[in-house]
Every structure is written in C-alpha cells, then in structure tokens.
C-alpha cells in the first residue's frame, strides 16, 4: 500500500509539479502579505483547508490573522504562497509535497488534526514545518516538524497545575463520552495523579435532576474540588448542583465571550484558562492587533484569528533563530515556549466568572517583578 501511494505521489508531482498553486495570472496576490508568486521560487507555504465545507470558515479566519500579522511584522526574505486544500488527508499531503516541489523552504499548516497526522506519518520532512494542530506526542515524529495549536487537552493539564496550588487533594472530574471530553479528563487526571500524587474520581454527565442531586454530597468537603470537562451549555446545567463552597475549574471551552452576561452569571465562580486575546485587552501584543479584527466574529473564530497571528510570529522566530529551544514570547494566544522534542506550548491566563463578568486571577507566574517588590 505504501509503495503504491509513493508511485501515485510521484506521478502526481511529475504531472502537476509545474502548475501554479493559485491561478491568479499575476505575480502578487491582492491579499496583503500573501503572494501567489512564480511557479517555482523559494517561498513560505501556507496550507489551509479553504476548499473544505466543514473547515473553510475556520481556515479563512486563520488566514486573516496570518495576513494581518504579516502586514505588521518584520519583512520576510521570502514571499508567502497560499495552498488551498480540502480536509482530506491525501489531498493535504499532495499539496504539501507540491509546495516542496515548487520551492517551499518553510511550511505553515495543515490546520486539521487528520491533516497533521498525515504529515507526521512521514519518516522525514525536507523543510521545517509548523502545524496549526497537534497529534499524539507519544508518537515518534519526524525532525523538522513543529506542533502548535489551540488544543484544549493541554489546557486541562495546565488547569491541574493551577488547581494544585489551593491545598485540596481530591478532584471530582465531570465529563461526557465525547472524544474531546475524554481527552480533557485524561489530561487532567494524568497530571493531577501522576505529578502531584492526588486522588480523583469520575462522574458521568447527566441532565437528569434526580441523578444530579447526588452531586451536592459528592462535591462537598474541604479536600475536594471539581474539574468540568464540559462546554458552557452543559456546565451551566451542572453548576447549581455542585456544593457552593467547592472550587470549580474548566478549560476555555466554557467561555463564550463577555457579552453573554446571563450565561456567565450561571457559571459563577468557575475558574478557567483562555488567551490574552479574549481576556486581556491591555496586553501589548493584543493592543497591536486588536483594531484589525471583526466585531462580528464568534469567540471560537476570534481564537482562530489569534492563532493565525501567533502562527506568523512563531514562524518568523523559527526563521530567525533556527533553533526552537531559543524561542519564547508572550503571544496573543498565551505565553509560547518550546517543549522538546516537537511541541510549542501555549500558556493561557487564568480567570474567573464573578457576577456575570470575567475577572483575571493573579498567580505567581503572572505577577510582574515590580509587583513582587
């Protein structure tokens, strides 16, 4: 099967390798910061699923953020060429190798998890590649592959660290059977139990009021806290049944924006993590890009716009330093740092719902040197 695919790929490149990716018929694209470029030229490839019915909206928002950062960022030694794909892994892989054959010296993308998995399955990558999603980091990944994205399972691990600072040692983890919720449950409990040596128990989500009555006793006690591996809608249902004295934690999927006052009021007291782009308007990088955004985007789309901004900034760092270990910066998606062998980790900022509003939480990590003195 692998040999047949290799033959097919070679034939594809032989036939299509000299065709332009964007059939614009012009040297420069009207899109600011992104050039169609000549057919074979040294360039940076941006690979996004713009032709996918499911992911086109997300891909366009990421592209917009990337373009704005390109406008405001430092001049690059290469043009940027956009490669539009579907969400099919084979199509993504074809375009990836097409980009390399057309002169790409650096690749940004793909955006989908399956697309990243297709690229990560390669034994070796010819050029540095910064993905916009992640795969299982327990796998052996090729060199030159750098993972970056908005994965909430990493947030669940970071929430475990935040929760470990309040002196409670037993977590009640509430989740459902969705793939995302299971990943959040596993990420939280792995760090909570293995790194900190604390105990935990699972409670399966239900909207049955009779069964939910059990939560009051289950969550009560000075040694207990709650982690919600749920979205805002389900957390809103669960919240009234949790002991009011028990601290409650969640990931960014619980936050749908500051305009949802009634929803946020129903999530009173829940602590969560999210990016400076949404929570910290006075953040230096946020102020630099904020007025370029659209007020009509949803919170989910705003996160993807911010991903596009930080993807460009991270790419420029990789081009400059040539060593991921040297890279760390305060991005609009969080503080970004490299974790060997392949992962760039975002560290979002903690916040809490208070009377329908969002209030930042002060931790030792986000206190400035001046405030410490």
């Amino acid at each position: 099967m692998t040999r047949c695919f290799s033959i097919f790929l070679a034939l594809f490149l032989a036939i299509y390798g000299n065709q332009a990716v964007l059939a614009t018929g012009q040297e420069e694209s009207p899109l600011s910061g992104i050039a169609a470029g000549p057919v074979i030229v040294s360039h940076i490839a941006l690979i996004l699923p713009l032709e996918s019915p499911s992911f086109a909206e997300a891909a366009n928002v990421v592209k917009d953020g990337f373009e704005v950062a390109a406008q405001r960022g430092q001049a690059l030694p290469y043009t940027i060429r956009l490669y539009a794909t579907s969400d099919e892994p084979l199509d993504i892989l074809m375009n990836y190798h097409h980009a390399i054959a057309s002169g790409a010296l650096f690749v940004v993308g793909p955006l989908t998890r399956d697309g990243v998995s297709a690229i990560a399955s390669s034994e070796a990558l010819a050029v540095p590649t910064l993905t916009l999603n992640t795969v299982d980091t327990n796998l052996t990944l090729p060199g030159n592959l750098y993972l970056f994205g908005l994965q909430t399972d990493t947030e669940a691990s970071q929430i475990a660290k935040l929760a470990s600072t309040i002196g409670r040692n037993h977590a009640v983890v509430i989740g459902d059977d969705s793939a995302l919720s299971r990943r959040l449950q596993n990420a939280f409990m792995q760090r909570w139990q293995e790194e900190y040596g604390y105990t935990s128990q699972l409670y399966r989500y239900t909207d049955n009021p009779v069964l939910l009555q059990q939560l009051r006793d289950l969550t009560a006690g000075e040694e207990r806290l709650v982690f919600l591996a749920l979205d805002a809608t389900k957390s809103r249902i669960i919240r009234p049944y949790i002991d009011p004295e028990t601290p409650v934690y969640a990931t960014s999927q619980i936050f749908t924006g500051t305009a949802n006052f009634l929803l946020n009021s129903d999530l009173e007291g829940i602590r969560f993590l999210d990016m400076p782009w949404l929570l910290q308007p006075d953040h230096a990088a946020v102020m630099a890009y904020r007025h370029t955004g659209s007020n009509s985007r949803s919170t989910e789309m705003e996160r993807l716009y911010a991903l596009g901004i930080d993807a460009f900034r991270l790419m420029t760092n990789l081009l400059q330093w040539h060593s991921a270990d040297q890279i760390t910066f305060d991005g609009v998606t969080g503080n970004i740092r490299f974790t060997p062998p392949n992962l760039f980790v975002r560290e979002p900022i903690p916040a809490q719902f208070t009377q329908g509003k969002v209030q930042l939480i002060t931790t030792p990590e986000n206190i400035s040197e001046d405030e410490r003195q």
Side-chain angles (χ1 to χ4, degrees), residues 46-235:
L46 176 61
I47 300 178
L48 293 171
L50 294 164
E51 297 176 353
S52 162
S54 301
F55 295 98
E57 181 185 8
N60 270 295
V61 172
V62 171
K63 176 177 68 68
D64 289 346
F66 195 90
E67 288 177 359
V68 165
Q71 275 186 314
R72 299 198 171 195
Q74 63 190 63
L76 295 174
Y78 312 108
T79 58
I80 301 169
R81 187 183 295 184
L82 180 64
Y83 292 77
T85 73
S86 68
D87 55 15
E88 291 295 328
L90 181 59
D91 182 47
I92 293 169
L93 194 59
M94 291 290 197
N95 274 275
Y96 180 85
H97 288 287
H98 186 179
I100 304 302
S102 300
L105 300 179
F106 194 107
V107 176
V108 179
L111 177 63
T112 65
R113 196 176 184 93
D114 286 345
V116 175
S117 295
I119 302 301
S121 65
S122 304
E123 292 184 2
L125 298 181
V127 301
T129 301
L130 176 66
T131 68
L132 302 176
N133 210 319
T134 62
V135 292
D136 185 352
T137 53
N138 292 323
L139 300 175
T140 300
L141 300 176
N144 263 348
L145 181 68
Y146 302 102
L147 306 177
F148 177 60
L150 301 180
Q151 59 277 14
T152 49
D153 36 348
T154 301
E155 290 180 15
S157 175
Q158 293 163 336
I159 278 288
K161 177 183 178 182
L162 179 65
S164 72
T165 63
I166 65 171
R168 299 192 175 216
N169 57 26
H170 184 77
V172 179
V173 178
I174 304 175
D176 57 30
D177 290 323
S178 68
L180 174 57
S181 181
R182 288 198 299 269
R183 292 204 310 269
L184 298 181
Q185 296 165 43
N186 292 336
F188 178 91
M189 289 192 296
Q190 182 177 5
R191 189 166 195 181
W192 184 256
Q193 295 171 180
E194 295 182 8
E195 183 170 338
Y196 301 115
Y198 297 150
T199 58
S200 64
Q201 65 186 104
L202 281 172
Y203 181 89
R204 190 61 55 212
Y205 169 80
T206 178
D207 57 5
N208 185 327
V210 176
L211 296 177
L212 285 173
Q213 294 293 342
Q214 304 169 358
L215 272 178
R216 182 59 60 95
D217 291 336
L218 182 64
T219 58
E222 293 184 357
E223 81 287 358
R224 303 197 167 206
L225 57 84
V226 172
F227 171 63
L228 299 176
L230 300 168
D231 61 18
T233 301
K234 291 181 177 179
S235 297

